[in-house]
Amino acid sequence: VLKESVYLAVPKNSPYGERESIQLREVKEEGFVHLAGSRLFRAECDKFCAAAGFKPKTSFESDSIVAVRNVIAAHAGVGFWPEYSWGKSSADVKLLPISAPPCQRELVIGLHESRSAGEAAADFYAYLVKFLKMRSAQVAKKHGACYNKGE
C-alpha cells in the first residue's frame, strides 16, 4: 500500500502557472478535463471537488491520459494528475500541490497466491514492489514524512 498525492494540472502559462500550491475551491469556476466517468480515478476526483464544496464543470472528457494532458496544455481547462501512477506531465503543464482539501489516494498491489501467475508475473510483482518502496522513500525524503504504510 502506498499513498499517492493527486495534483492539480494547469497550463504552465495560465494565471495558475506561477503558483506553488492551490486550494481546490479556487478553481471551482474552471472547466475540468477528466478521464471518462466510468473510471475509478474520476470518482475519486469528484469526491475531492465535493469536499471543496463544488461539483466540477466538465470541459473535456476522454479515456486517454495523453489526451487529458494535451487538452490541459491547450488551455481547455484544469485537471487532476496523480503523483506517479500516470508518469510525468508535459512541459506545457504544471502540477500544483493541492493544499486543501487533502487529495490523496492509496495504491494497492498484490499477487494472488491462489492463482498460478507464472514466473514473469512474479518477477514483475517483485520489481513493482521494489520500485514503489524506492519511490515512496524518495517522496518521504522530499516531503519529510513517511508515505509508505506497508508492502
Side-chain angles (χ1 to χ4, degrees):
V1 176
L2 179 72
K3 283 194 179 180
E4 175 180 52
S5 293
V6 176
Y7 295 105
L8 186 70
V10 300
K12 197 167 213 163
N13 59 355
S14 73
Y16 304 111
E18 298 298 318
R19 303 280 300 269
E20 294 302 316
S21 67
I22 196 162
Q23 291 188 22
L24 197 52
R25 69 173 183 241
E26 294 178 66
V27 294
K28 68 181 180 182
E29 299 301 322
E30 298 291 336
F32 277 77
V33 179
H34 297 288
L35 278 182
S38 63
R39 301 283 182 110
L40 179 59
F41 184 67
R42 168 68 184 275
E44 291 171 340
C45 294
D46 286 348
K47 288 179 185 178
F48 298 150
C49 292
F54 70 95
K55 182 177 180 180
K57 299 172 186 174
T58 301
S59 61
F60 181 80
E61 193 173 51
S62 174
D63 280 332
S64 166
I65 295 165
V66 173
V68 167
R69 179 192 63 214
N70 292 342
V71 170
I72 292 169
H75 292 260
V78 300
F80 292 100
W81 196 271
E83 186 173 14
Y84 28 76
S85 61
W86 285 8
K88 294 184 179 185
S89 67
S90 72
D92 297 329
V93 174
K94 181 169 183 178
L95 302 180
L96 293 175
I98 300 169
S99 58
C103 294
Q104 291 184 331
R105 67 184 190 158
E106 287 187 341
L107 299 178
V108 180
I109 63 166
L111 183 65
H112 274 271
E113 293 178 15
S114 62
R115 295 187 181 178
S116 176
E119 188 175 334
D123 288 347
F124 178 72
Y125 174 77
Y127 167 81
L128 192 55
V129 167
K130 182 179 177 183
F131 172 79
L132 290 175
K133 283 182 181 181
M134 178 189 68
R135 181 66 174 124
S136 180
Q138 290 171 343
V139 170
K141 184 177 180 182
K142 178 180 174 184
H143 296 288
C146 183
Y147 286 77
N148 192 355
K149 289 176 57 177
E151 293 186 28

